[in-house]
Amino acid sequence: MTNIEDVILNQLTKTTKRFYAFIGALLVMVAWGAFAWSIQLTRGLAVTGMNIPVYWGVYISNFVFLIGISHAGIAISAAVRLLRLELYRPLTRMAELLTIISLMLAAMNIVFDLGRPDRVLNMVFFADLSSPLVWDFISVSTYFILSTAYLFLGMREDLSRLADRLPGRRWLYKALSAGWSGSEQQRFGQERVLRWMAIIILPVMVSVHTTVAWIFGLQIAKPIWHESGLGPYFVTGAIVSGISMVTVIAWILRRLLGWGKFFTLEIFRGLGNFLRAVLLIYAYFMIAEQVTIRYGGESASLEVLEFYSTGAYAPYFWSFVILGTVIPFLILCIPRTRSIGGIVLASILVTVFMWVKRVIIIIPALMHPVLPPGIGMSTGIYAPTWVEWSILGGSYALGALLYTIFMKFFPIIDLEIGK
Amino acid sequence: MLSKLTKVQAAEAPKQYGMVIDLRRCIGCHACSMACKLENNQPTGLVDGELETPNRRINWSIVLGREDGEQEKGKYPLLSKRFLPRTCMHCIDPPCTKVCPVDATYRRPEDGIVVVNYDRCIGCRYCMSACPYGARYFNWKKPDLGRPENPQVPVRPVGVVEKCTFCKHRIERGLEPACVETCLGRARIFGELSDPNSKVSKLIRERGAFRLLEDYDTKPSWYYLPW
């Protein structure tokens, strides 16, 4: 019993050279990203690949992707609590943390995209409720606050236990545990609050990605976006990429910390089965989109659809279809490949190609405005520059850094598991 | 604020300015675009070669078309060429103002001109994506005019969106917009749509005027008299 707790605590107290090397590498990447951002800040968005009419580029695509990633974390955690899925309990905290950090990165990506990041607070002071961007801002902030509170409340008991176990950091854990005594009454009250929060978080989560979709889908002049199905399409994609990302991180923790007894084959099988199901729903949405637009043949939508499925973006689209859906689906179906390795491989493929899919959703639609551009201007050129890639890389490194530092101070698995 | 969510807001302004373009008179000389650039402090796009691509230029006023002959009709020697000048359409139901998260762009209630508050714009470019006409422009870099600026018009800072203002600084002084004044073929007629007896209102009634992309129901206050 204490053995398992010791294993978890070891992670907090024993720091290897490899750890410092990893932190150092991440810091270098963050610094490089900050340098690139400073160039963008001083010279304007002209240093990116964005132009007329591709007003949004990889920052916004990446924002959509990250919001998607944030979807699995709290969902898993809430489902574990509401449906009493004790098997998946080891995933809860690491998944919650993934939600919170990916939401932070998503917000950062919006700031990278702004022409005037110095005025970002205008979103608060002058918020205009008629804008879907404001709906999204409200919805994401609510989700972020709820998720953080949920993570924190769920951790209080562990914090007070840590205060006893690690005297060196007692002050920190004592303060953070916020008066946790472990009395029956307190336990009961907390469980009730967390249950209600879990119930509230699930619809908020759906609203988050729906409003993200509506940023695009409510624009009349982008026919391929202006579809009532865009919200559910986005939400499904979010769950697909979120679940696969959780699987990948669970595997990294399993490998890195040798935590095979927490992240078991059974857990990976369960995640894989779920991923298989949502992947199928996502494929269904894609087929529905293709059939509707091709059969109707309305030229403005068809132009965009053909651009990405048979035109210039076809390599990206078909690599998503084959490597991001068909192959992972087969891996997750065939009993022989449903090992941890296979499931993780499928998840890595899905995560990477879902990112590509986000780009395919956003950029081709912008490349095809309904009116031709002026004489001397070309439509639809977009290639991200090194500045954009550096900023993206730096922001992901920052995310990994935050995740790693969190793991050094707080147990990434519920100590309750040890009981 | 919330009324913008529905189409109901398209209320008649007490005064509504509008433009009529007689397409048969347009010779595609781009004088309107040049006059607009000089009047409204837009970079000419030829000053600073670095970071400058044709797709980043600021052209409040532009002549639409492709250079692939699509706008030509007939065969030599019976050949005619068509042009479609466009600026901001100053829609009565503008899709751009609805999506602005900070209310930095709005339709002025007194005269129906759609304007941008350059001091509030956060540069998210949502309005640009929402505009079906591509009428909005972004300051991808610090503007470099390379010439003395017109003191009546503010020079926009880097990172904000801008567009045609119907030359509101000129209208307020009783002048016509710069593009109208300069038009060689006198193809542009500016006036009050709200006055049924104005020249623009009469032309629209008598000559079967059309508007761009009427399907989107944005109700532009720009009208074209057909070729």
Side-chain angles (χ1 to χ4, degrees):
Chain A
M1 169 183 144
T2 31
N3 263 347
I4 291 177
E5 198 174 302
D6 284 341
V7 170
I8 300 172
L9 290 183
N10 256 346
Q11 149 64 14
L12 301 183
T13 48
K14 294 228 172 83
T15 308
T16 58
K17 271 189 190 144
R18 209 169 55 162
F19 175 82
Y20 288 115
F22 183 58
I23 294 282
L26 289 178
L27 281 173
V28 170
M29 282 176 73
V30 172
W32 178 255
F35 165 69
W37 195 32
S38 75
I39 286 183
Q40 184 183 299
L41 287 176
T42 47
R43 301 178 70 188
L45 287 172
V47 298
T48 68
M50 290 185 274
N51 57 49
I52 301 164
V54 188
Y55 308 119
W56 291 332
V58 285
Y59 296 144
I60 293 292
S61 312
N62 197 41
F63 160 77
V64 177
F65 174 76
L66 284 165
I67 293 283
I69 293 296
S70 81
H71 265 46
I74 291 284
I76 289 179
S77 194
V80 166
R81 177 159 266 111
L82 295 175
L83 306 176
R84 303 183 203 288
L85 304 171
E86 283 304 313
L87 169 65
Y88 300 98
R89 190 87 182 264
L91 290 176
T92 53
R93 191 163 300 152
M94 59 139 290
E96 287 163 19
L97 184 61
L98 179 64
T99 291
I100 291 163
I101 287 174
S102 54
L103 284 176
M104 286 177 178
L105 296 191
M108 278 172 62
N109 271 273
I110 288 289
V111 176
F112 296 148
D113 186 70
L114 292 185
R116 302 293 307 209
D118 53 320
R119 295 181 185 167
V120 66
L121 286 179
N122 282 8
M123 287 280 288
V124 179
F125 298 139
F126 302 110
D128 185 339
L129 279 181
S130 69
S131 170
L133 203 56
V134 171
W135 308 349
D136 194 44
F137 181 69
I138 293 170
S139 167
V140 170
S141 318
T142 311
Y143 187 46
F144 180 75
I145 292 166
L146 275 175
S147 309
T148 312
Y150 190 83
L151 172 75
F152 168 69
L153 288 178
M155 226 165 60
R156 271 171 80 205
E157 187 179 358
D158 282 7
L159 288 166
S160 85
R161 189 118 53 111
L162 285 173
D164 298 338
R165 292 291 308 264
L166 305 172
R169 299 184 192 159
R170 193 182 154 77
W171 57 275
L172 174 71
Y173 296 132
K174 193 81 197 157
L176 283 177
S177 67
W180 178 264
S181 62
S183 69
E184 204 48 47
Q185 194 192 3
Q186 201 177 31
R187 221 176 267 277
F188 178 76
Q190 161 131 328
E191 192 48 40
R192 227 166 86 147
V193 169
L194 283 175
R195 253 192 101 72
W196 275 107
M197 282 177 82
I199 291 169
I200 296 165
I201 277 173
L202 290 172
V204 169
M205 183 196 90
V206 173
S207 85
V208 166
H209 222 78
T210 307
T211 48
V212 168
W214 283 349
I215 291 176
F216 307 99
L218 299 189
Q219 297 179 34
I220 45 167
K222 298 277 186 291
I224 196 124
W225 289 343
H226 194 54
E227 299 280 347
S228 55
L230 204 71
Y233 194 3
F234 267 47
V235 173
T236 314
I239 297 171
V240 168
S241 55
I243 290 289
S244 53
M245 189 77 181
V246 166
T247 313
V248 174
I249 292 191
W251 175 73
I252 292 173
L253 295 179
R254 181 186 153 98
R255 285 295 301 265
L256 223 57
L257 308 171
W259 281 2
K261 57 175 158 298
F262 301 134
F263 302 115
T264 56
L265 177 63
E266 253 184 309
I267 289 183
F268 283 95
R269 283 257 163 93
L271 288 170
N273 287 347
F274 190 68
L275 178 61
R276 191 174 60 188
V278 278
L279 208 51
L280 209 55
I281 301 173
Y282 196 72
Y284 163 74
F285 269 111
M286 280 197 328
I287 293 165
E289 185 186 33
Q290 291 276 340
V291 172
T292 310
I293 292 173
R294 283 183 188 278
Y295 189 91
E298 190 253 320
S299 62
S301 307
L302 192 61
E303 195 185 348
V304 183
L305 190 84
E306 285 186 336
F307 174 79
Y308 74 67
S309 53
T310 52
Y313 266 42
Y316 303 119
F317 178 73
W318 288 102
S319 56
F320 169 74
V321 170
I322 294 163
L323 295 170
T325 55
V326 176
I327 290 180
F329 184 76
L330 291 178
I331 292 176
L332 296 171
C333 282
I334 300 168
R336 266 187 54 198
T337 51
R338 283 176 64 223
S339 59
I340 291 185
I343 293 165
V344 170
L345 175 68
S347 301
I348 291 173
L349 285 173
V350 170
T351 311
V352 170
F353 284 97
M354 272 312 283
W355 192 90
V356 174
K357 183 69 189 353
R358 296 319 191 181
V359 174
I360 297 171
I361 292 171
I362 311 299
I363 290 167
L366 287 161
M367 282 177 168
H368 295 85
V370 288
L371 276 189
I375 288 170
M377 291 168 70
S378 49
T379 23
I381 318 172
Y382 174 74
T385 61
W386 71 270
V387 175
E388 285 165 283
W389 290 124
S390 304
I391 293 179
L392 285 195
S395 69
Y396 276 103
L398 183 66
L401 191 66
L402 292 173
Y403 206 103
T404 318
I405 291 173
F406 181 96
M407 279 172 55
K408 259 298 150 227
F409 286 94
F410 306 106
I412 196 70
I413 285 187
D414 210 329
L415 287 180
E416 197 75 356
I417 305 288
K419 280 195 170 173
Chain B
M1 184 170 63
L2 279 168
S3 63
K4 274 195 283 178
L5 292 175
T6 61
K7 290 268 177 185
V8 183
Q9 65 124 170
E12 293 299 311
K15 197 194 270 181
Q16 175 67 52
Y17 287 120
M19 183 84 84
V20 170
I21 311 279
D22 189 343
L23 292 172
R24 286 195 298 207
R25 285 174 157 270
C26 176
I27 58 169
C29 68
H30 297 264
C32 48
S33 305
M34 282 320 291
C36 178
K37 277 174 177 279
L38 295 173
E39 178 68 30
N40 290 299
N41 293 333
Q42 296 155 52
T44 51
L46 301 170
V47 182
D48 178 9
E50 199 198 5
L51 304 178
E52 184 73 63
T53 71
N55 282 27
R56 293 222 183 96
R57 285 192 195 137
I58 291 173
N59 300 300
W60 290 8
S61 165
I62 204 170
V63 180
L64 291 177
R66 294 190 175 114
E67 282 175 326
D68 56 6
E70 207 176 84
Q71 69 213 45
E72 284 160 22
K73 198 186 167 196
K75 283 228 156 62
Y76 178 82
L78 293 168
L79 182 72
S80 66
K81 205 168 176 184
R82 296 167 163 195
F83 303 97
L84 194 69
R86 82 104 185 81
T87 73
C88 171
M89 300 281 136
H90 295 280
C91 303
I92 290 170
D93 202 345
C96 54
T97 58
K98 276 205 278 202
V99 300
C100 179
V102 295
D103 207 14
T105 186
Y106 53 95
R107 180 169 169 264
R108 293 210 300 198
E110 65 271 23
D111 53 14
I113 299 180
V114 177
V115 291
V116 180
N117 179 348
Y118 308 125
D119 295 329
R120 190 186 284 186
C121 172
I122 59 172
C124 68
R125 306 184 295 294
Y126 197 175
C127 54
M128 301 176 75
S129 177
C131 173
Y133 307 98
R136 291 174 161 264
Y137 292 88
F138 182 70
N139 285 277
W140 300 97
K141 61 188 175 67
K142 192 171 179 295
D144 182 3
L145 291 182
R147 59 167 195 269
E149 61 182 74
N150 175 2
Q152 288 160 356
V153 178
V155 175
R156 280 73 59 185
V158 63
V160 302
V161 172
E162 58 179 65
K163 62 170 212 49
C164 162
T165 62
F166 253 164
C167 278
K168 60 184 165 71
H169 60 288
R170 289 175 59 95
I171 299 175
E172 279 154 11
R173 284 160 47 219
L175 299 169
E176 292 187 308
C179 57
V180 176
E181 195 180 67
T182 206
C183 181
L184 300 187
R186 296 182 190 238
R188 293 185 175 222
I189 304 103
F190 177 77
E192 285 180 35
L193 297 176
S194 42
D195 174 7
N197 297 317
S198 66
K199 198 173 171 194
V200 281
S201 300
K202 280 183 186 153
L203 281 170
I204 291 165
R205 273 201 306 275
E206 289 160 12
R207 296 271 304 274
F210 70 91
R211 299 187 281 190
L212 267 189
L213 305 177
E214 287 199 78
D215 287 355
Y216 291 132
D217 222 8
T218 55
K219 304 186 187 70
S221 50
W222 263 62
Y223 287 82
Y224 295 91
L225 303 179
W227 288 285

